Amino acid sequence: MSKGIGGIGDIMKQAQEMQGRLAQVQAEAATKTVDGSAGGGMVNVTVNGRLEVLSLRIDRQVVEGGDIEMLQDLIIAALNQGIRAAQKIMADEMTKITGGLKIPGLT
């Protein structure tokens, strides 16, 4: 019976180690940034690994044109591109830790 208990202890230890590595990856990902753009660079955003928008740059020509709907569409497109890029970075980092194992809530 002690083998069974030891096996559970090993699994718990491995789970704790993985949890520590996941926390480290999340902290590191928060410091990474990615850019998203739309309209040929007329709207640019920078997003971090926490999916926070750090900056938004809009080319003056878009504003001077007065087409608010186009500006809104460009902002949304740039944000979505940046968010997808940040999510990919996080997914790639998680895959390195889990070895491709699909863990609900993590990948």
Side-chain angles (χ1 to χ4, degrees), residues 9 12-13 20 27 44 52 58 60-61 63 67 71 82-83 94 102 104-105:
M12 293 299 293
K13 182 179 178 186
N44 296 286
E52 298 168 330
I58 301 171
R60 185 173 301 280
Q61 291 176 327
V63 178
D67 189 346
L71 176 58
I83 289 168
M94 290 296 178
K102 301 293 183 191

Side-chain angles (χ1 to χ4, degrees), residues 34-47 53 55-58 62 68-87:
V34 294
D35 295 316
S37 68
M42 296 181 89
V43 175
N44 296 286
V45 298
T46 301
V47 179
V53 177
S55 69
L56 170 66
R57 294 170 304 282
I58 301 171
V62 178
I68 299 299
E69 288 180 6
M70 180 181 74
L71 176 58
Q72 291 168 339
D73 290 343
L74 291 174
I75 291 170
I76 290 168
L79 286 170
N80 285 332
Q81 185 183 54
I83 289 168
R84 281 191 300 271
Q87 288 172 326

